[in-house]
Amino acid sequence: MASKPSIPKGTRDFSPTEVAKRQYIIQIIRSNFEKFGFQPIETPSFENSETLMGKYGEEGDRLIFKILNSGDYLSKANEAHLEAKDSTKLTSSISEKALRYDLTVPFARYVVQHQNEIEFPFKRYQIQPVWRADRPQKGRFREFFQCDADVVGSKSLWQEVELVQLYDTVFTSLGLSGVTIKINNRKILSGIAEVIGASDKLIDFTVALDKLDKIGEDGVKKEMMEKGISEEALVKVQPLFSFTGTISDKINQLSDLLASSEEGMKGVEELRFICDNVSSLGLSTAILDLDVTLARGLNYYTGAIFEVGAPKTVAMGSIGGGGRYDDLTGIFGLKNMSGVGISFGLDRIYLVLEELQLFPETVTATSKALFINYGDKEAFYALKAIQELRKEDIKVELYPENVKVGKQFQHADKRAIPFAVIVGDVEMESNLYSLKNLLTGEQVSVDLEGLKKALLV
């Protein structure tokens, strides 16, 4: 007996309706990327393992899907590693390629490989799937799309200002009001670690701090102490646990806390520049907030860090994020190429729009009208009209078989097609069409121009 077909955990099939809604989101993101001057590129689904490995930290490396070498992949395996069942060391000899984990590192590789063809500053966008061997849960999948916009070759903080505006513009265009664009700066995190005498434990400190909203103040302090951060240091960092007020208030508090750290004060000034200018220019529907616990991407972010939270009425993780990376291309030999970028989480944005019922009713994969098939003569007459309607970008189709009319109407109903066009001897003799609204039952006779007008509404 054949086994029941299935798909891997963390992946999904998409119905026509779901695809239409995803394309709606992608189109809004793409049009705004281009409005802000970003150009599209595409990179392969898989990269050489050496391109990806070691770029995301130990945890990130574990989440990279490795591709087994073609043919007898064990023939070149290191026998000692095979016998010792050392999977970490064995992997390099049986797998030379891996599915991309994100779009940022492949983009860095692209910039280095094509540096002589690129005009800098280079503003690129990329909308493609990525893969992570993560534990699937609501809003977290093993295969998902990222929608990235990056600028390389410019250190100007005006880029950060524009990226905040880009987030605001996209979410406003989607009708998603009240998203929170959280901002922090890697230099501030480094400065805090320096001030409390824990520079050598920066990663441990920030990883614990990042969990504040999940495990609370006591949980964060406990984790920090377990990592060797002293009680004296925790006393100095106490203000971070009650960080409130306006962005300006928070920046002033940070300025006091980091007065003795040159690196930290650089971060404060960068944040002040970005936040003051965003505030002066104004945002349409998004909220900008300074979050000192934000510590994503520390392996490559060097300046501003962004994370976008869904409106508070929706229980969802981040729906976007990014930051400044002063030397990401340095990992591939191109030094001093500063860049900054953001990403939109398509799949999570979809879930948020669905939960809040924000997809317009016009977003559909179905046809606007179904022409009922009464026979070859009628079908030919119908197809001449269909040809003209399609020139106007009106989605229409002919039922292919001449079967019972009731079955054809059932088909339209199941497909949620709102109109049926009836063509019989009477209509053909009068050069008309009978247009039936399948929701109201109303039926009218119209000529071709009338048909166009009715279906364009």
Side-chain angles (χ1 to χ4, degrees), residues 160 175 218 374 391 406:
E160 277 87 338
D218 291 341
Y374 284 92
K391 287 177 184 176

Side-chain angles (χ1 to χ4, degrees), residues 55-200:
K55 312 301 190 299
Y56 306 101
E58 193 176 323
E59 184 180 356
D61 282 356
R62 284 200 302 269
L63 299 181
I64 292 173
F65 277 108
K66 287 80 176 176
I67 301 172
L68 291 173
N69 294 338
S70 301
D72 185 3
Y73 57 87
L74 283 178
S75 62
K76 295 180 181 178
N78 182 295
E79 289 187 16
H81 297 159
L82 189 61
E83 193 169 328
K85 296 183 179 179
D86 188 336
S87 60
T88 304
K89 292 179 179 176
L90 182 64
T91 300
S92 60
S93 63
I94 63 173
S95 172
E96 297 170 356
K97 299 175 183 64
L99 292 176
R100 60 172 174 241
Y101 174 89
D102 70 358
L103 299 178
T104 305
V105 170
F107 172 53
R109 189 266 310 151
Y110 175 94
V111 169
V112 175
Q113 200 169 335
H114 300 275
Q115 58 186 286
N116 296 325
E117 307 151 34
I118 292 171
E119 172 63 26
F120 295 102
F122 180 43
K123 298 176 78 170
R124 90 76 166 90
Y125 77 84
Q126 201 170 345
I127 301 175
Q128 289 186 278
V130 299
W131 294 266
R132 295 184 186 180
D134 217 339
R135 184 170 63 85
Q137 52 186 283
K138 184 184 177 184
R140 180 175 290 175
F141 307 100
R142 288 176 171 170
E143 178 185 62
F144 57 97
F145 266 71
Q146 280 189 340
C147 310
D148 284 12
D150 288 78
V151 188
V152 289
S154 170
K155 294 183 178 180
S156 170
L157 293 175
W158 287 113
Q159 305 290 2
E160 277 87 338
V161 172
E162 279 216 287
L163 289 175
V164 172
Q165 290 181 311
L166 177 56
Y167 266 138
D168 177 51
T169 303
V170 168
F171 289 118
T172 300
S173 300
L174 289 168
L176 189 57
S177 299
V179 303
T180 300
I181 304 167
K182 299 175 186 175
I183 186 171
N184 196 14
N185 194 296
R186 166 63 188 261
K187 296 182 178 74
I188 282 172
L189 293 167
S190 297
I192 293 169
E194 180 188 338
V195 164
I196 66 172
S199 292
D200 59 329

Side-chain angles (χ1 to χ4, degrees), residues 430-444:
S430 309
N431 204 26
L432 294 172
Y433 306 86
S434 290
L435 179 66
K436 184 170 185 176
N437 185 319
L438 298 179
L439 297 175
T440 65
E442 181 187 359
Q443 185 169 317
V444 293

Side-chain angles (χ1 to χ4, degrees), residues 262-277:
E262 185 180 345
E263 177 82 348
M265 289 307 293
K266 281 182 187 174
V268 169
E269 291 313 309
E270 287 180 12
L271 266 184
R272 197 188 303 276
F273 180 91
I274 297 164
C275 295
D276 283 356
N277 282 293

Side-chain angles (χ1 to χ4, degrees), residues 368-369 371 385 388-396 418-419 421 433 435 437 444-457:
K368 195 72 182 280
F371 280 71
E388 294 303 314
L389 292 168
R390 286 173 178 164
K391 287 177 184 176
E392 303 291 333
D393 289 329
I394 301 170
K395 294 189 282 186
V396 288
F419 292 97
V421 181
Y433 306 86
L435 179 66
N437 185 319
V444 293
S445 288
V446 292
D447 60 11
L448 183 57
E449 284 306 310
L451 193 58
K452 286 180 184 177
K453 287 179 184 176
L455 296 178
L456 275 170
V457 174

